[in-house]
Amino acid sequence: MPRKSDEHTVSFKWNKENDTQVHSILKAVYQALEEKGYNPINQLVGYMISGDPAYITSHKQARSLICKVDRDEIMEVLLQHYLQ
């Protein structure tokens, strides 16, 4: 019996409209983390891996901003820009 993952490839649809929103949120969160003396990259990686918003400061409402977008949307934008 084939494993479920062997039966079909799941298609993921890229939503270009979210690109601008995610980009502006990431910039704002990065700046807020930097202002509070955190290493923004480390904190964002911690958040992306764990999903725990405690990695993001509440300074300048950064935590509530990052929670407005799903982590998969953030990952889409990051990969899209990295691979271009």
Side-chain angles (χ1 to χ4, degrees):
M1 178 178 228
R3 292 180 309 185
K4 182 73 171 165
S5 62
D6 291 340
E7 292 177 16
H8 302 285
T9 300
V10 178
S11 180
F12 199 84
K13 191 149 184 124
W14 167 255
N15 186 351
K16 183 88 170 140
E17 296 170 8
N18 291 341
D19 191 12
T20 305
Q21 178 190 18
V22 171
H23 186 255
S24 63
I25 286 173
L26 283 175
K27 284 178 74 171
V29 169
Y30 185 97
Q31 184 179 22
L33 287 164
E34 202 169 47
E35 285 177 10
K36 291 303 281 183
Y38 294 106
N39 179 321
I41 299 300
N42 288 349
Q43 296 305 112
L44 284 163
V45 167
Y47 170 69
M48 293 299 293
I49 290 171
S50 71
D52 185 354
Y55 281 96
I56 308 300
T57 182
S58 58
H59 178 65
K60 291 190 170 180
Q61 299 179 339
R63 190 174 297 154
S64 64
L65 280 174
I66 199 96
C67 290
K68 288 183 178 184
V69 265
D70 291 330
R71 286 182 299 150
D72 60 338
E73 292 178 77
I74 296 170
M75 187 63 68
E76 286 178 48
V77 171
L78 292 174
L79 284 171
Q80 185 70 23
H81 285 277
Y82 181 79
L83 294 172
Q84 284 181 346

